[in-house]
Amino acid sequence: MSQSLTPPSFDTIKAQDPTVAEAITEEITRQLSTLEMIASENFASRAVLEAASTVFTNKYAEGYPGKRYYNGCEPSDKVENLAISRACELFGAAHANVQPHSGSTANQAIFFATMKPGDTVLSLSLASGGHLSHGHRVNMAGQFFNIINYGLNKDTELINYDKVASLAREHKPRLIITGGSAYPRLIDFAKFREIADEVGAVFLTDMAHFSGLVAGKAIPSPVPHSHIVSSTTHKTLRGPRSGIILTNEEWAKPIDKAVFPGLQGGPLVHIIAAKAIAFGEALTPAFQEYSKLVIRNAQVLGEVLVEKGLRLVSGGTDTHVVLVDLRNYKVTGKDAANALEHAGITVNKNAIPFDPEKEWITSGIRIGTPALTSRGMKEDEMRTIGGLIAEVVKDPSDEATQKSVRARVSEMTAQFPLRADEK
Ligand code: DSN
């Protein structure tokens, strides 16, 4: 069994707490033996996993390097300073806060730094590929702020920049957000900044999904155009499960203050250490190659699905994600995702723009290539997988097909370690 998923202390867990060990073993087996195609997931390196399980988890380090509330923070300072300087180098940012526990808490801190309750936010709707934390009605942001959503052009399924500009002029938002969880195309960050400047708004890019592609220089960066950029660190960026905020000089202090003491308590120093390692990995030429391959794989996968008669939202992808409209097959996202899981292919149901189905049913599935690209899969594998997906999705009630595809998935996954670079 590949070691890349196994933290150093796993044998101790087995001896001390077999029930937890059993769940961990099941998860290791699941990750190894299925095709992980959730667009927001990836396989962190052994070094990242090791760092995340170190004794730094024992340390309280409230504050920032050089200015902590507790004593004994010298090693914590060292590792946090390293994470900060690597993040700044990686993204060409003036300032980085590496303490947010997740992408959602990063966004909450940004709201706290930039707005008062009741202020107006202009963000991409969840139904158009945005994110819950950008102000969906069930999210804290949706309840504390006045959320105005922009959407997509119905014909192109691309962001309707004219509508963004007219909504910005009408509602005078304090914060304009772009980025999301299911928008497969490049975003015109310069255009957003122009609109934000015109109405005096702060411009935030949430690059949680595509930050690894930016780090790998495979797509344009939002950093030069945004006042503030938030991200997770575990998706395309392939680090530990966590978040970061990048800012220009102007927003550095307010953001630091909003993260701590505004929102969080003690930072997760073990995870900050893991982030430092991930940023170091992302600074390598190998990561740049990886990022380009992630996109190429998504494009090839998309082409195969189109050949099989499925429609891709916006006609394709520029990133790591393809959003598939299943209506040609008369199948719902929920049924397709469940059938694929039985066949050993993990994706998620996802609303497509202007989806006639409810949020828990949907007409689409979202498929991503970051994790399988980490396994070393390339165009040939994407062609095979595209065919398998179409076979299963065509008739989600066909259990025999699911079984035969499951067998082929097992054969395929047995040939690839979780990390091609860590055999
Ligand atoms: N859950 C993440 C995703 O899948 O895109 C976003 O938070």
Side-chain angles (χ1 to χ4, degrees):
M1 184 173 289
S2 162
Q3 290 301 303
S4 9
L5 271 176
T6 314
S9 60
F10 189 50
D11 286 343
T12 316
I13 304 172
K14 275 185 178 158
Q16 181 180 318
D17 197 329
T19 318
V20 172
E22 191 179 299
I24 295 172
T25 306
E26 281 171 18
E27 180 60 9
I28 291 172
T29 307
R30 190 193 70 79
Q31 293 193 19
L32 279 169
S33 67
T34 60
L35 292 170
E36 184 54 74
M37 304 194 83
I38 303 255
S40 47
E41 295 188 12
N42 212 331
F43 300 124
S45 71
R46 193 176 300 144
V48 165
L49 292 175
E50 277 186 14
S53 64
T54 57
V55 291
F56 271 129
T57 194
N58 299 332
K59 187 68 193 112
Y60 254 121
E62 283 164 305
Y64 290 99
K67 199 174 174 217
R68 305 282 190 184
Y69 280 75
Y70 296 117
N71 292 87
C73 286
E74 216 175 292
S76 300
D77 283 5
K78 191 174 189 172
V79 85
E80 185 165 345
N81 276 328
L82 197 58
I84 290 169
S85 63
R86 285 183 182 170
C88 288
E89 184 187 347
L90 186 60
F91 293 109
H95 179 75
N97 186 306
V98 297
Q99 292 195 4
H101 301 330
S102 71
S104 285
T105 49
N107 287 339
Q108 284 169 26
I110 293 163
F111 294 163
F112 192 47
T114 58
M115 293 188 290
K116 296 199 172 33
D119 278 356
T120 298
V121 176
L122 179 58
S123 63
L124 182 64
S125 66
L126 185 67
S128 304
H131 190 254
L132 270 177
S133 68
H134 299 176
H136 191 273
R137 65 184 183 281
V138 299
N139 187 265
M140 178 277 290
Q143 314 218 345
F144 288 10
F145 303 103
N146 174 35
I147 307 294
I148 307 293
N149 279 149
Y150 59 88
L152 307 178
N153 185 310
K154 205 160 189 166
D155 300 330
T156 60
E157 296 174 317
L158 301 177
I159 290 173
N160 186 336
Y161 294 93
D162 291 338
K163 189 76 182 165
V164 176
S166 67
L167 287 170
R169 285 179 200 126
E170 183 185 346
H171 296 281
K172 301 271 181 297
R174 171 70 182 140
L175 186 69
I176 297 179
I177 312 177
T178 197
S181 57
Y183 186 74
R185 294 301 195 169
L186 297 180
I187 296 171
D188 188 342
F189 304 116
K191 182 81 195 157
F192 267 103
R193 178 59 183 262
E194 198 183 300
I195 296 167
D197 283 347
E198 185 192 323
V199 300
V202 177
F203 173 40
L204 162 65
T205 301
D206 180 344
M207 64 170 179
H209 258 264
F210 55 86
S211 56
L213 308 179
V214 173
K217 304 195 184 326
I219 62 169
S221 171
V223 173
H225 305 286
S226 313
H227 295 103
I228 308 174
V229 174
S230 64
S231 184
T232 52
T233 51
H234 50 274
K235 297 186 174 95
T236 47
L237 195 48
R238 213 163 57 171
R241 181 159 298 274
S242 199
I244 47 166
I245 303 174
L246 309 170
T247 72
N248 59 14
E249 295 287 0
E250 178 195 355
W251 284 99
K253 274 205 178 118
I255 286 294
D256 281 356
K257 211 170 137 203
V259 173
F260 176 83
L263 184 69
Q264 296 185 170
L268 311 178
V269 185
H270 55 308
I271 300 299
I272 290 175
K275 282 186 248 192
I277 290 172
F279 301 152
E281 291 173 354
L283 280 162
T284 61
F287 192 83
Q288 296 189 6
E289 283 308 304
Y290 162 75
S291 307
K292 289 187 186 84
L293 201 50
V294 166
I295 298 175
R296 182 71 201 128
N297 278 347
Q299 289 171 338
V300 172
L301 182 75
E303 282 162 22
V304 175
L305 296 174
V306 169
E307 281 162 22
K308 299 287 177 190
L310 287 161
R311 192 185 78 86
L312 303 187
V313 168
S314 81
T317 182
D318 304 318
T319 63
H320 60 297
V321 55
V322 284
L323 189 55
V324 185
D325 176 352
L326 299 163
R327 289 175 300 176
N328 287 350
Y329 279 13
K330 300 198 183 344
V331 166
T332 66
K334 183 181 174 198
D335 288 345
N338 287 341
L340 285 167
E341 184 175 357
H342 288 140
I345 302 174
T346 317
V347 304
N348 61 278
K349 64 177 172 288
N350 211 101
I352 58 168
F354 312 100
D355 202 321
E357 297 285 353
K358 291 202 167 65
E359 283 172 13
W360 282 93
I361 305 291
T362 80
S363 302
I365 48 173
R366 186 185 67 161
I367 314 180
T369 52
L372 293 190
T373 307
S374 291
R375 292 190 83 153
M377 294 191 189
K378 299 200 171 81
E379 287 191 24
D380 283 352
E381 287 75 31
M382 292 305 126
R383 290 190 190 286
T384 307
I385 292 168
L388 296 179
I389 290 174
E391 231 178 281
V392 172
V393 164
K394 198 155 241 159
D395 180 3
S397 65
D398 179 355
E399 290 178 14
T401 296
Q402 288 159 29
K403 214 170 152 195
S404 85
V405 170
R406 183 72 190 87
R408 278 179 280 167
V409 166
S410 295
E411 276 167 31
M412 193 177 212
T413 52
Q415 292 164 39
F416 291 87
L418 282 186
R419 285 285 296 241
D421 53 349
E422 292 186 353
K423 288 185 183 129

PDB file of all heavy atoms in Angstrom, residues 35-56:
ATOM      1  N   LEU A  35     -11.367   6.423  -8.646  1.00  0.00           N
ATOM      2  CA  LEU A  35     -10.904   7.575  -9.429  1.00  0.00           C
ATOM      3  C   LEU A  35     -11.470   8.837  -8.783  1.00  0.00           C
ATOM      4  O   LEU A  35     -12.673   9.093  -8.852  1.00  0.00           O
ATOM      5  CB  LEU A  35     -11.373   7.434 -10.884  1.00  0.00           C
ATOM      6  CG  LEU A  35     -10.716   6.279 -11.655  1.00  0.00           C
ATOM      7  CD1 LEU A  35     -11.411   6.060 -12.999  1.00  0.00           C
ATOM      8  CD2 LEU A  35      -9.223   6.552 -11.858  1.00  0.00           C
ATOM      9  N   GLU A  36     -10.602   9.590  -8.125  1.00  0.00           N
ATOM     10  CA  GLU A  36     -11.029  10.772  -7.372  1.00  0.00           C
ATOM     11  C   GLU A  36     -11.133  11.961  -8.332  1.00  0.00           C
ATOM     12  O   GLU A  36     -10.119  12.497  -8.772  1.00  0.00           O
ATOM     13  CB  GLU A  36     -10.004  11.058  -6.267  1.00  0.00           C
ATOM     14  CG  GLU A  36     -10.394  12.198  -5.355  1.00  0.00           C
ATOM     15  CD  GLU A  36     -11.769  11.971  -4.762  1.00  0.00           C
ATOM     16  OE1 GLU A  36     -11.898  11.134  -3.872  1.00  0.00           O
ATOM     17  OE2 GLU A  36     -12.735  12.616  -5.215  1.00  0.00           O
ATOM     18  N   MET A  37     -12.358  12.336  -8.633  1.00  0.00           N
ATOM     19  CA  MET A  37     -12.544  13.411  -9.614  1.00  0.00           C
ATOM     20  C   MET A  37     -13.379  14.559  -9.059  1.00  0.00           C
ATOM     21  O   MET A  37     -14.003  15.317  -9.811  1.00  0.00           O
ATOM     22  CB  MET A  37     -13.145  12.844 -10.898  1.00  0.00           C
ATOM     23  CG  MET A  37     -12.276  11.717 -11.445  1.00  0.00           C
ATOM     24  SD  MET A  37     -12.648  11.241 -13.127  1.00  0.00           S
ATOM     25  CE  MET A  37     -11.748  12.458 -14.073  1.00  0.00           C
ATOM     26  N   ILE A  38     -13.425  14.682  -7.734  1.00  0.00           N
ATOM     27  CA  ILE A  38     -14.012  15.874  -7.124  1.00  0.00           C
ATOM     28  C   ILE A  38     -13.033  17.008  -7.434  1.00  0.00           C
ATOM     29  O   ILE A  38     -11.845  16.907  -7.104  1.00  0.00           O
ATOM     30  CB  ILE A  38     -14.161  15.694  -5.598  1.00  0.00           C
ATOM     31  CG1 ILE A  38     -15.005  14.457  -5.296  1.00  0.00           C
ATOM     32  CG2 ILE A  38     -14.673  16.974  -4.950  1.00  0.00           C
ATOM     33  CD1 ILE A  38     -16.396  14.632  -4.847  1.00  0.00           C
ATOM     34  N   ALA A  39     -13.539  18.071  -8.062  1.00  0.00           N
ATOM     35  CA  ALA A  39     -12.634  19.104  -8.602  1.00  0.00           C
ATOM     36  C   ALA A  39     -11.843  19.830  -7.521  1.00  0.00           C
ATOM     37  O   ALA A  39     -10.816  20.438  -7.798  1.00  0.00           O
ATOM     38  CB  ALA A  39     -13.438  20.104  -9.421  1.00  0.00           C
ATOM     39  N   SER A  40     -12.329  19.768  -6.277  1.00  0.00           N
ATOM     40  CA  SER A  40     -11.681  20.506  -5.192  1.00  0.00           C
ATOM     41  C   SER A  40     -10.759  19.621  -4.351  1.00  0.00           C
ATOM     42  O   SER A  40     -10.304  20.044  -3.294  1.00  0.00           O
ATOM     43  CB  SER A  40     -12.757  21.121  -4.290  1.00  0.00           C
ATOM     44  OG  SER A  40     -13.732  20.150  -3.979  1.00  0.00           O
ATOM     45  N   GLU A  41     -10.526  18.393  -4.802  1.00  0.00           N
ATOM     46  CA  GLU A  41      -9.683  17.497  -4.005  1.00  0.00           C
ATOM     47  C   GLU A  41      -8.374  17.177  -4.713  1.00  0.00           C
ATOM     48  O   GLU A  41      -8.249  17.342  -5.924  1.00  0.00           O
ATOM     49  CB  GLU A  41     -10.463  16.213  -3.678  1.00  0.00           C
ATOM     50  CG  GLU A  41     -11.660  16.526  -2.790  1.00  0.00           C
ATOM     51  CD  GLU A  41     -12.377  15.309  -2.267  1.00  0.00           C
ATOM     52  OE1 GLU A  41     -11.851  14.190  -2.379  1.00  0.00           O
ATOM     53  OE2 GLU A  41     -13.491  15.478  -1.746  1.00  0.00           O
ATOM     54  N   ASN A  42      -7.402  16.735  -3.902  1.00  0.00           N
ATOM     55  CA  ASN A  42      -6.079  16.444  -4.440  1.00  0.00           C
ATOM     56  C   ASN A  42      -5.358  15.510  -3.474  1.00  0.00           C
ATOM     57  O   ASN A  42      -5.913  15.167  -2.417  1.00  0.00           O
ATOM     58  CB  ASN A  42      -5.287  17.750  -4.633  1.00  0.00           C
ATOM     59  CG  ASN A  42      -4.332  17.663  -5.805  1.00  0.00           C
ATOM     60  OD1 ASN A  42      -3.838  16.583  -6.143  1.00  0.00           O
ATOM     61  ND2 ASN A  42      -4.058  18.790  -6.433  1.00  0.00           N
ATOM     62  N   PHE A  43      -4.156  15.116  -3.807  1.00  0.00           N
ATOM     63  CA  PHE A  43      -3.366  14.255  -2.929  1.00  0.00           C
ATOM     64  C   PHE A  43      -2.124  15.012  -2.483  1.00  0.00           C
ATOM     65  O   PHE A  43      -1.201  15.239  -3.272  1.00  0.00           O
ATOM     66  CB  PHE A  43      -2.978  12.962  -3.654  1.00  0.00           C
ATOM     67  CG  PHE A  43      -4.173  12.161  -4.107  1.00  0.00           C
ATOM     68  CD1 PHE A  43      -4.343  11.805  -5.433  1.00  0.00           C
ATOM     69  CD2 PHE A  43      -5.150  11.765  -3.192  1.00  0.00           C
ATOM     70  CE1 PHE A  43      -5.444  11.076  -5.847  1.00  0.00           C
ATOM     71  CE2 PHE A  43      -6.263  11.033  -3.599  1.00  0.00           C
ATOM     72  CZ  PHE A  43      -6.403  10.690  -4.930  1.00  0.00           C
ATOM     73  N   ALA A  44      -2.095  15.386  -1.210  1.00  0.00           N
ATOM     74  CA  ALA A  44      -0.947  16.127  -0.664  1.00  0.00           C
ATOM     75  C   ALA A  44       0.274  15.212  -0.610  1.00  0.00           C
ATOM     76  O   ALA A  44       0.146  13.985  -0.517  1.00  0.00           O
ATOM     77  CB  ALA A  44      -1.288  16.641   0.726  1.00  0.00           C
ATOM     78  N   SER A  45       1.445  15.825  -0.641  1.00  0.00           N
ATOM     79  CA  SER A  45       2.685  15.047  -0.624  1.00  0.00           C
ATOM     80  C   SER A  45       2.920  14.436   0.765  1.00  0.00           C
ATOM     81  O   SER A  45       2.317  14.857   1.762  1.00  0.00           O
ATOM     82  CB  SER A  45       3.870  15.945  -0.977  1.00  0.00           C
ATOM     83  OG  SER A  45       4.116  16.842   0.088  1.00  0.00           O
ATOM     84  N   ARG A  46       3.832  13.488   0.818  1.00  0.00           N
ATOM     85  CA  ARG A  46       4.191  12.867   2.100  1.00  0.00           C
ATOM     86  C   ARG A  46       4.727  13.926   3.067  1.00  0.00           C
ATOM     87  O   ARG A  46       4.414  13.915   4.252  1.00  0.00           O
ATOM     88  CB  ARG A  46       5.242  11.793   1.841  1.00  0.00           C
ATOM     89  CG  ARG A  46       5.489  10.873   2.992  1.00  0.00           C
ATOM     90  CD  ARG A  46       6.473   9.788   2.594  1.00  0.00           C
ATOM     91  NE  ARG A  46       5.961   9.003   1.495  1.00  0.00           N
ATOM     92  CZ  ARG A  46       6.717   8.502   0.507  1.00  0.00           C
ATOM     93  NH1 ARG A  46       8.005   8.717   0.477  1.00  0.00           N
ATOM     94  NH2 ARG A  46       6.173   7.786  -0.456  1.00  0.00           N
ATOM     95  N   ALA A  47       5.529  14.864   2.532  1.00  0.00           N
ATOM     96  CA  ALA A  47       6.097  15.899   3.405  1.00  0.00           C
ATOM     97  C   ALA A  47       5.003  16.786   3.998  1.00  0.00           C
ATOM     98  O   ALA A  47       5.048  17.159   5.178  1.00  0.00           O
ATOM     99  CB  ALA A  47       7.103  16.747   2.620  1.00  0.00           C
ATOM    100  N   VAL A  48       4.002  17.104   3.188  1.00  0.00           N
ATOM    101  CA  VAL A  48       2.882  17.918   3.689  1.00  0.00           C
ATOM    102  C   VAL A  48       2.137  17.144   4.779  1.00  0.00           C
ATOM    103  O   VAL A  48       1.809  17.693   5.845  1.00  0.00           O
ATOM    104  CB  VAL A  48       1.933  18.313   2.524  1.00  0.00           C
ATOM    105  CG1 VAL A  48       0.599  18.828   3.045  1.00  0.00           C
ATOM    106  CG2 VAL A  48       2.598  19.365   1.632  1.00  0.00           C
ATOM    107  N   LEU A  49       1.885  15.867   4.536  1.00  0.00           N
ATOM    108  CA  LEU A  49       1.176  15.048   5.533  1.00  0.00           C
ATOM    109  C   LEU A  49       1.976  14.927   6.829  1.00  0.00           C
ATOM    110  O   LEU A  49       1.428  14.995   7.925  1.00  0.00           O
ATOM    111  CB  LEU A  49       0.881  13.655   4.974  1.00  0.00           C
ATOM    112  CG  LEU A  49      -0.130  13.588   3.832  1.00  0.00           C
ATOM    113  CD1 LEU A  49      -0.226  12.169   3.304  1.00  0.00           C
ATOM    114  CD2 LEU A  49      -1.497  14.073   4.271  1.00  0.00           C
ATOM    115  N   GLU A  50       3.270  14.746   6.668  1.00  0.00           N
ATOM    116  CA  GLU A  50       4.117  14.627   7.865  1.00  0.00           C
ATOM    117  C   GLU A  50       4.083  15.915   8.686  1.00  0.00           C
ATOM    118  O   GLU A  50       3.921  15.883   9.911  1.00  0.00           O
ATOM    119  CB  GLU A  50       5.567  14.325   7.469  1.00  0.00           C
ATOM    120  CG  GLU A  50       5.813  12.845   7.215  1.00  0.00           C
ATOM    121  CD  GLU A  50       7.282  12.519   6.956  1.00  0.00           C
ATOM    122  OE1 GLU A  50       8.149  13.364   7.230  1.00  0.00           O
ATOM    123  OE2 GLU A  50       7.538  11.426   6.468  1.00  0.00           O
ATOM    124  N   ALA A  51       4.221  17.040   8.000  1.00  0.00           N
ATOM    125  CA  ALA A  51       4.212  18.328   8.719  1.00  0.00           C
ATOM    126  C   ALA A  51       2.896  18.518   9.468  1.00  0.00           C
ATOM    127  O   ALA A  51       2.863  18.997  10.601  1.00  0.00           O
ATOM    128  CB  ALA A  51       4.447  19.476   7.738  1.00  0.00           C
ATOM    129  N   ALA A  52       1.806  18.100   8.821  1.00  0.00           N
ATOM    130  CA  ALA A  52       0.483  18.288   9.428  1.00  0.00           C
ATOM    131  C   ALA A  52       0.290  17.422  10.667  1.00  0.00           C
ATOM    132  O   ALA A  52      -0.630  17.659  11.453  1.00  0.00           O
ATOM    133  CB  ALA A  52      -0.600  17.979   8.395  1.00  0.00           C
ATOM    134  N   SER A  53       1.133  16.432  10.834  1.00  0.00           N
ATOM    135  CA  SER A  53       0.960  15.571  12.015  1.00  0.00           C
ATOM    136  C   SER A  53       2.102  15.750  13.029  1.00  0.00           C
ATOM    137  O   SER A  53       2.371  14.847  13.808  1.00  0.00           O
ATOM    138  CB  SER A  53       0.845  14.105  11.586  1.00  0.00           C
ATOM    139  OG  SER A  53       2.043  13.669  10.989  1.00  0.00           O
ATOM    140  N   THR A  54       2.732  16.928  13.015  1.00  0.00           N
ATOM    141  CA  THR A  54       3.856  17.148  13.941  1.00  0.00           C
ATOM    142  C   THR A  54       3.420  17.758  15.279  1.00  0.00           C
ATOM    143  O   THR A  54       2.266  18.170  15.437  1.00  0.00           O
ATOM    144  CB  THR A  54       4.906  18.103  13.326  1.00  0.00           C
ATOM    145  OG1 THR A  54       4.235  19.328  12.997  1.00  0.00           O
ATOM    146  CG2 THR A  54       5.542  17.504  12.095  1.00  0.00           C
ATOM    147  N   VAL A  55       4.373  17.879  16.183  1.00  0.00           N
ATOM    148  CA  VAL A  55       4.112  18.408  17.532  1.00  0.00           C
ATOM    149  C   VAL A  55       3.739  19.889  17.534  1.00  0.00           C
ATOM    150  O   VAL A  55       3.334  20.419  18.579  1.00  0.00           O
ATOM    151  CB  VAL A  55       5.334  18.213  18.456  1.00  0.00           C
ATOM    152  CG1 VAL A  55       5.547  16.747  18.778  1.00  0.00           C
ATOM    153  CG2 VAL A  55       6.593  18.841  17.856  1.00  0.00           C
ATOM    154  N   PHE A  56       3.839  20.542  16.387  1.00  0.00           N
ATOM    155  CA  PHE A  56       3.352  21.930  16.342  1.00  0.00           C
ATOM    156  C   PHE A  56       1.864  22.005  16.717  1.00  0.00           C
ATOM    157  O   PHE A  56       1.369  23.052  17.110  1.00  0.00           O
ATOM    158  CB  PHE A  56       3.567  22.537  14.957  1.00  0.00           C
ATOM    159  CG  PHE A  56       4.902  23.220  14.772  1.00  0.00           C
ATOM    160  CD1 PHE A  56       5.718  22.914  13.686  1.00  0.00           C
ATOM    161  CD2 PHE A  56       5.331  24.200  15.667  1.00  0.00           C
ATOM    162  CE1 PHE A  56       6.938  23.559  13.506  1.00  0.00           C
ATOM    163  CE2 PHE A  56       6.547  24.848  15.491  1.00  0.00           C
ATOM    164  CZ  PHE A  56       7.357  24.533  14.411  1.00  0.00           C
TER     165      PHE A  56
END
